[in-house]
Amino acid sequence: MNDLNFLRLIFELGGSFQNVNNIDLAIKANVSKASISDRTQHLSKLGLVKYTKYYGSKLTKKGLNDVIPLVQQHRLIETWLYEKLDIPLSDIYDKATTLSDHPDLLLIDRLNIHLEYPQTCPHGNIIPINSAIPIYSADSLLASQNISDTTFKIVNFTEDSYLFKILSNIDVKLSDSIKILNINDYDHSMVILNLRNNLKQILPKNITKMIHIEKVKETQKSV
């Protein structure tokens, strides 16, 4: 994986506004923690990330400026594969990664024209430049919520190949309204009720950490 695609992984884990720890990066990149340490130190020397011991890496302004075109291209390709070529939602992340090694400004321009400048990719994540980069807090994660009568709406999924393979086997989709019925004290897995299909499902913590949600207001429930 080249440096630019490694920066993309940091971006996808929220590295534009928060520190990303080495363990999460190692899992996402499928490499050892030692390899991640070597790479982040290398990128730090290049001024692309700021590494803080025990906290992880965050993109610098230079790193963010360098990686944004690649993220934009990657998510445009995802949208193109899904909307125009009918590639399954579970496969488009990996295929877009294969097709998007370096940003090509002409390709980005043509895809934007062809797709009419989409604001988000099929996983609900914003397409940079087409839309402002949001700042999420830990409170926006499904994993951070407690058992309650609150109804939540799924607003996006972290770009992650493992997650998308799991989601292809369970009936949880973007924009679904859900309620949290139970949380296991031992492994923090979560039982949710999906209001779209009225199904109860168990989600492990490593999955709930990759789902962003927002509270559904009473006026939205009644519509």
Side-chain angles (χ1 to χ4, degrees), residues 6-222:
F6 191 81
L7 292 175
R8 177 175 59 79
L9 298 190
I10 296 175
F11 180 93
E12 289 172 355
L13 288 170
S16 62
F17 59 87
Q18 65 182 4
N19 287 298
V20 176
N21 68 59
N22 284 358
I23 295 176
D24 287 343
L25 267 175
I27 293 172
K28 187 171 178 63
N30 195 28
V31 299
S32 68
K33 188 178 175 182
S35 296
I36 296 296
S37 296
D38 291 342
R39 180 61 73 92
T40 52
Q41 289 176 26
H42 162 69
L43 294 174
S44 180
K45 290 177 181 178
L46 295 177
L48 299 172
V49 303
K50 181 179 180 181
Y51 177 74
T52 305
K53 192 174 182 180
Y54 304 123
Y55 291 93
S57 302
K58 182 180 178 182
L59 295 169
T60 62
K61 185 176 181 179
K62 182 178 187 300
L64 188 59
N65 288 337
D66 282 1
V67 79
I68 276 179
L70 182 65
V71 176
Q72 182 189 30
Q73 177 174 293
H74 189 276
R75 292 179 179 175
L76 283 169
I77 290 175
E78 284 186 306
T79 305
W80 172 64
L81 291 170
Y82 183 68
E83 293 187 359
K84 304 300 181 181
L85 302 186
D86 294 324
I87 302 297
L89 191 62
S90 59
D91 296 338
I92 60 174
Y93 178 79
D94 284 344
K95 291 187 181 299
T97 299
T98 301
L99 296 169
S100 192
D101 196 40
H102 288 88
D104 182 320
L105 298 183
L106 179 61
L107 176 61
I108 291 172
D109 183 57
R110 293 297 186 268
L111 282 171
N112 263 324
I113 293 172
H114 183 61
L115 298 169
E116 299 181 346
Y117 297 86
Q119 300 290 304
T120 60
C121 77
H123 302 121
N125 295 297
I126 65 96
I127 297 176
I129 301 178
N130 293 15
S131 186
I133 299 173
I135 297 177
Y136 294 108
S137 68
D139 291 338
S140 70
L141 293 175
L142 180 58
S144 301
Q145 310 309 315
N146 297 311
I147 302 170
S148 71
D149 289 330
T150 304
T151 300
F152 298 101
K153 176 184 176 182
I154 297 175
V155 295
N156 67 46
F157 301 106
T158 297
E159 297 275 11
D160 185 271
S161 180
Y162 168 76
L163 171 65
F164 300 141
K165 298 301 181 186
I166 296 297
L167 291 176
S168 69
N169 294 316
I170 60 177
D171 195 8
V172 175
K173 299 180 180 180
L174 194 67
S175 298
D176 278 353
S177 293
I178 62 173
K179 287 189 174 184
I180 300 168
L181 302 182
N182 191 38
I183 299 173
N184 188 304
D185 291 333
Y186 175 69
D187 62 5
H188 302 288
S189 59
M190 186 177 287
V191 179
I192 65 165
L193 172 64
N194 191 324
L195 300 180
R196 172 176 56 82
N197 51 28
N198 205 35
L199 290 178
K200 296 178 182 178
Q201 293 182 308
I202 301 175
L203 301 180
K205 187 176 181 181
N206 63 335
I207 297 299
T208 60
K209 285 174 61 179
M210 294 189 284
I211 299 176
H212 282 100
I213 48 85
E214 63 182 21
K215 291 182 179 180
V216 176
K217 299 177 181 178
E218 291 298 326
T219 53
Q220 292 176 289
K221 293 180 187 179
S222 60

